[in-house]
Each structure stands twice: as structure tokens, then as C-alpha cells.
Amino acid sequence: MGREFNFGKMIHGGDYNPEQWLDFPEILDKDIEYFKKAKINEVSLGIFSWSVLEPCEGTYNFGWMEEIINRLWENGISTILATPSGARPKWMADKYPEVLRVDADRHRNLFGGRHNHCYTSPVYRDKVRQMNMALSKKFGRHPGVIGWHLSNEYGGECHCPLCQEEFRRWLKEKYGSIDALNKAWATTFWSHIYNDFSQIESPSPRGESGLHGLNLDWKRFVTDRTVDFVRHEAQAVKDGGSDLPVMINMMYNYGGLNYHKFKDVVDIVTWDNYPTWHKGPESLTAMDTGMQHDIMRSILKKPFLLMESCPSATNWQSVSKLKKPGMLRAASLQAVAHGSDSVQYFQLRQSRGSSEKFHGAVIDHYGGEDTRVFGEVTEVGEALDALGEMAGSYTSAQAAVIYDWENRWAMEDAAGPRNKNLYYKEAVEKSYYAFRKLGLDVDVIDMEQELDSYKIVAAPMLYMFRAGFEEKAEKFVKSGGKLILTYWSGIVDDTDLCFLGGTPHGLMEVCGLRSTEIDGLYDGETNCGVPVKGNGLCMTKTYTCEHLCDLVRTNGAEVLMTYGKDFYAGMPALTCNSYGEGKAYYVCADFEQGLYDELYRKLVKEAGIKRYVHHIPAGIEVTSRETEDALYLIVQNFDPESVEVRLPKGPFTVWYGEYDGTVKGFDMVVLKKSK
Ligand code: GLA
Ligand code: GLA
């Protein structure tokens, strides 16, 4: 999928649950007035409405929704319509218990909560199909409806007998024979050989939990089952007569699903963003959030939507922190800076009861517009109006960092070389941050994506090589790319079997070295990397490393730094190998950020990547978006105080915001130049 959609404007809106106050019709009138004042042009409707839409089996009650969609549309407000499968009515769970999820201990859940359904149950699939088709028939061609919000935050897994059967079928299709599966999973270990697919059970704390191949395939299966369910939902919407874009709202760093696998079943990537601002330095939260935006954008490499964000305090976090003045606008516009065509909130009006009654909202229980939060939301609306022509513009990154979900699963499951935490995400962040501090746009991709369009690719801690990564990486370097590999790379294949014959598998020649051993360091224990005199990259400083130290034997690579301590003092800690037209770097240990900053500054310069802002103070973010005709250079300040920063002149003009040599606290400036 991934069809082209440009809404022609920035969307400003969010989750709206009017079924919670149908008894108070005057509320809708007031809300519509407020929405217009805050320049809200969209609502996401019906996300948890099933028990109102179908109060008893087969009896549909769509009238209230029709009225609301009509009223909104008459007032210039569009609807992104949800399918309500994220939560279901009690009657359904009572009559058809198979719709409820079974946990890994093989206990079936009781009715309750949400996101508590089996993805296989034929009854649930049928009920969802009927509902989605009915909604699509009724509203799919309504001029006010612009897209489908399928379900809500898909996630979790079901271990019921129906899912077990599907899992066995999935494995049979993947492996063909039980012998092939036994080999791939190394089942001779601890005498776990299977004679038949029918013997296989999903992982369980009460049963098989340490068979890495099984664990990995189960996670892949859960992703595939969920993708299949999304496809089923989307097909029902289509069969009901609607051809509008379908979307699913994804979550921050969610480990339960490989989101890249959804690229063929959604038209637009959308996600829900709840950072803990004001906890640490704002600049760090901004980096972390920026990386999530970039992960989401990189799935389809197209504009995404920020489907949910909180207008003030998020009540499920340990502390419900208010956003300080200006923070909401800065956080919202950061999404746009990284490629979003929307800013949407959870929620437009605060619910009166139950677990989200204290969650931040555009309109709170007071029910008026003269609140601080409403004022800030209005400012976001005004900014989005002004930035409207950027909708549909794309991000063109010359640098990429690989952050691979399946690699993450495998590494989290592996016993050793450090248990509890290998710091994979942190390793990815170090490369990402180093690029971002230089103002580069960065794609954050997985191992299945192509490398050809980049000049420089960082591939930290790729423990698992899969999807032909070795061949892609070799070709990339050979034809002039700069590749950064690190310690603990190329160790296992895609079923978590160790490669024989040396690591990093398939790239020893490209890197000009072989990894021989890896040392796990105790918490608090450190080593360091000392620059080699006269090294080709002019590395000049000594940097600390911790957690993991890879001991490599070079075979052609130039040693840029060596370890400073322990029995491996003097052995390589950072290397570079010329291969074909390009170069492969190998970072042997988990170094502090400073090493990445120095290394990447040099490599980016060498790679000739254009940078528009040369000195970027902490807290300043530089990104860009492009159309065929124009380039927008976006500069945001996440510091509450004004910060001096020198921006380019010449063909660039200040297109949005104020700039007088400084960017004001929490403010944004957009420069534009024609191409
Ligand atoms: C115990 C077990 C062995 C092996 C080792 C690993 O001693 O008996 O089978 O698991 O631990 O240290
Ligand atoms: C998630 C859900 C919403 C709501 C918000 C609260 O993003 O999708 O329904 O619960 O969290 O922050």
C-alpha cells in the first residue's frame, strides 16, 4: 500500500468521544464553536464506540454518529472514522468467549479493559467485518470523512487453541518439514526434538521459554497475525465501498510488533507520542522523540500523522506533569519538523468518568475556552495554518541508522555477553544523536530496507544478520558508501543460529578484520580508546567505553584507536578499512557519545553531505522538508531561553517565525529557498 495522500493542509484535531455525553446535546454545539476557535479541523471518532454502535447483537445504532459527522462537516471539520475493534461489548464476550484473549499461562481473560481480543477467532473476525462494512457503507463516501483509524494501538498476543493452530500452520509454511524446523531451532539442545508440527506450543513460562528460535518465530508470528487482522479490517472497509486511506496508530518504541511489516497494509503511518517533558534536559527528550518520529517516517518514507499527543498532563505516567508555557507548541511542531502532516491530541474533551478522567484534554471538565491549555492549543492551530503549504513535503535523508526489531528481539533473548541490558537502543541513539547534532536529516530503517540512497549508514550492534544484509552492506561500501559497524555484529542468522567461521559474518573482508572474543564489563567498570599517533582520521582524544569490548584481529584495516587498559591494552578499539570505493568503520566497544560525535563529524565532512547550519547549540534542532520546488529548513529551540544560532542567508529567506540572530525559547523558525 502506501498510496499517495496529501490532505492539502496540516491536520489539527484528535480523539473525540461524544458517545460519553450523548445526554447533553448542548455540549456538541459548544465543542464545535471551541474547535473552530482553536482551528481544529479534524476529529477522530468512534474509537471505543462499539457498545453504543451495536448495543445488542445485530442492532445497529448509527444515528448519533451520523448527526455528529454532519454537524462537524457543516462547520468545516473532517472526521477520521475509527473501526471500534479495540474494545468490544459485554454481550459479545458473554455469548462468544472465544473472542477474549488467552495469556501465555493458557488462562482466558475475563471481559474487561480493551485490546483484549483474539486475532484469530472467526467469530471476532466476522463481527469486525460486519461492523466495518456497515460503517463503511454508511459513512465511507461522506464528504466529511477523510480516512480510517483502524482499531486502536494494536498490540499483545493470544495463546488460545485457535492461535496455536495458526502458529503451527505458519511454521509449516515457513519450514516445510519438521526436520528443517528442528535444525533451525537447534532442538537437539536439551533434547527438545519435535516429531511433528502438531506438538508445537507457543512459548510459556509454564513450558518452553528458552528455545530462542521458537521465541523469535512466535514474535514474528504475532506480528504476522496482527498484520493479517489489519488486512482483514481494511478489506471489510473496502468491501463496504470506501477507498479512503487506512491507518493504524502505532506506539513509542513498542517491542511487541515489528511495525515495518505493516508497510503494505497501511496507507499512512500514524503514531501516538507521550514524551515525559520537563523530566531531564529538554534537549534530550527532544532527541529521543525526534528519533521516534524518524522511525515512523522511515517505515513508508512519506509524511506521517501524529495521531495522538497530550495537550497537557498525561495521567498514566507516574507523575502528571503540566506542560510549561510554550512546550505544547514546541512538541507539536517538532512532529511537523520531522515529517508529520498533523498534530492530533488525545483527547479533545476530557471524559467524565473512569481511568482517563484526569488525562489532559483540549477542553477540560470546566468546559470553557478561557483556559491556559486551550490558548496553547489555539496557538498550535494558528501555526499549523501558517505552515499549511508544507503538507505533503518529504524528508530526504543522506544518513541512516539501522534499528532492527527482529535483531532487538533476538538480542534481548540471548543469554550473554551481558544479561539484563545490552544497551541496544542506547547504541542506536549514540549514532542517531551524532548525526542529528550536525543537523542531518536521518532515516531510521530496518535491515530489510535498501541502503543505496544513503551516503553514510550506521549499523550499531547488528547481532543478527538477516534479509541479505551482508550482500547489501558489501555492495554499499564497494560503491562508495561509508558504513559504521560495531561490536557484537553478525553473530547469528535469522533463526538465531550462530554463524560458523568467524564474525562479523560475511563482512570480515569488508571490515578488514575478524572479531575473536568479546569481554562483558561489570557495571561501573570501564576501559578507554586511545588514538593511534598519526592515524588517518586524525582522531585526537581518548574516550571511555563500558559494557562490552570486542577483541578484533585486523586483516587489512587501519587501527585508529587502541584499548588503554586490561590484558587487551594496545589492541584495536576503532578501525577503518577501505573497500572498493568506500570505507567500513568498526567501533569495537560501547564508547561514550563523544567518540561518535568526533567520528561522525569527520565522516560526514568526508562524505560531502551538505550542512546548512554549522554550529548547532544543545537544544537546537535542525531538520528539513522538501517539495519539487522548495526546501524548508526548520530550526527549533527546545531551550526555554533564546539561543544564538547562525542561519544561512543567500537564497534562504525567513518564511515562518522570527529570527534576529537568535531563536526564542521553545520557538521555531522556518527558512525557505526555491530549488
Ligand atoms: C550447569 C549445568 C550444565 C550447563 C552449565 C552452564 O552446570 O549442569 O548443563 O548448563 O551449568 O554453566
Ligand atoms: C493511548 C490510547 C488512547 C489513550 C491514550 C492516553 O495512546 O490510544 O486511547 O488511552 O493512550 O494517553
Side-chain angles (χ1 to χ4, degrees), residues 358-402:
F358 298 128
H359 192 289
V362 174
I363 301 161
D364 64 17
H365 296 139
Y366 157 68
E369 60 182 286
D370 53 339
T371 62
R372 186 181 71 90
V373 171
F374 191 89
E376 302 233 348
V377 168
T378 307
E379 280 177 28
V380 175
E382 282 159 1
L384 292 176
D385 263 7
L387 297 169
E389 73 167 48
M390 276 170 58
S393 61
Y394 56 90
T395 306
S396 176
Q398 297 186 57
V401 182
I402 299 181

Side-chain angles (χ1 to χ4, degrees), residues 138-158:
K138 177 95 184 155
F139 301 116
R141 289 166 193 272
H142 192 294
V145 176
I146 58 171
W148 292 97
H149 179 296
L150 299 182
S151 199
N152 189 67
E153 292 189 338
Y154 288 101
E157 53 193 49
C158 176

Side-chain angles (χ1 to χ4, degrees), residues 506-552:
L507 292 178
M508 289 179 282
E509 202 190 324
V510 173
C511 294
L513 56 73
R514 174 168 76 83
S515 163
T516 59
E517 293 181 86
I518 189 159
D519 192 18
L521 275 58
Y522 292 116
D523 286 343
E525 191 184 357
T526 60
N527 202 318
C528 61
V530 183
V532 171
K533 275 212 180 86
N535 71 80
L537 204 61
C538 301
M539 297 296 285
T540 52
K541 291 192 193 143
T542 294
Y543 294 103
T544 304
C545 56
E546 55 182 342
H547 305 134
L548 292 170
C549 293
D550 205 336
L551 313 190
V552 305

Side-chain angles (χ1 to χ4, degrees), residues 30 149 251 272 411 439 491 497 508 522 560 602 610:
K30 276 213 278 182
H149 179 296
M251 293 177 270
D272 302 343
M411 233 183 322
I491 312 289
L497 288 182
M508 289 179 282
Y522 292 116
L560 304 171
K602 290 174 173 164
K610 177 103 186 110

Side-chain angles (χ1 to χ4, degrees), residues 161-349:
L162 294 165
C163 286
Q164 301 290 349
E165 269 313 308
E166 274 304 317
F167 183 42
R168 291 172 196 128
R169 196 192 51 74
W170 185 93
L171 289 170
K172 203 166 178 179
E173 199 175 305
K174 175 168 180 180
Y175 291 105
S177 75
I178 198 68
D179 281 353
L181 176 143
N182 280 315
K183 283 203 181 81
W185 289 3
T187 53
T188 42
F189 183 81
W190 287 356
S191 221
H192 286 205
I193 296 171
Y194 295 99
N195 296 325
D196 194 89
F197 284 99
S198 63
Q199 298 171 320
I200 296 172
E201 281 273 340
S202 62
S204 167
R206 294 170 54 212
E208 191 69 274
S209 63
L211 195 55
H212 292 175
L214 165 69
N215 293 346
L216 198 55
D217 275 336
W218 170 252
K219 285 182 190 295
R220 289 178 175 134
F221 165 77
V222 169
T223 289
D224 280 4
R225 241 344 26 208
T226 312
V227 168
D228 190 65
F229 195 87
V230 172
R231 192 178 285 119
H232 175 81
E233 289 222 36
Q235 190 61 49
V237 161
K238 201 157 193 224
D239 292 346
S242 172
D243 199 30
L244 292 170
V246 298
M247 308 163 240
I248 64 169
N249 49 336
M250 301 179 179
M251 293 177 270
Y252 170 88
N253 199 39
Y254 180 62
L257 295 171
N258 179 0
Y259 283 146
H260 288 274
K261 297 286 185 187
F262 291 79
K263 67 182 191 323
D264 296 327
V265 289
V266 299
D267 291 304
I268 304 169
V269 166
T270 83
W271 82 285
D272 302 343
N273 177 29
Y274 294 94
T276 46
W277 296 105
H278 313 308
K279 197 171 180 188
E282 255 45 283
S283 57
L284 269 187
T285 310
M287 275 286 187
D288 181 52
T289 308
M291 189 167 105
Q292 286 298 318
H293 287 311
D294 289 348
I295 289 173
M296 296 295 168
R297 189 199 60 242
S298 302
I299 294 173
L300 285 176
K301 295 198 182 153
K302 288 196 319 185
F304 60 94
L305 299 184
L306 175 66
M307 189 55 88
E308 290 180 25
S309 60
C310 182
S312 64
T314 306
N315 78 326
W316 52 260
Q317 290 170 350
S318 57
V319 169
S320 300
K321 191 82 196 151
L322 293 179
K323 286 192 174 65
K324 295 184 196 299
M327 188 75 253
L328 176 67
R329 182 169 170 277
S332 301
L333 297 186
Q334 188 191 20
V336 174
H338 284 259
S340 176
D341 279 358
S342 82
V343 172
Q344 291 153 277
Y345 309 106
F346 181 90
Q347 45 198 340
L348 296 184
R349 178 180 271 273

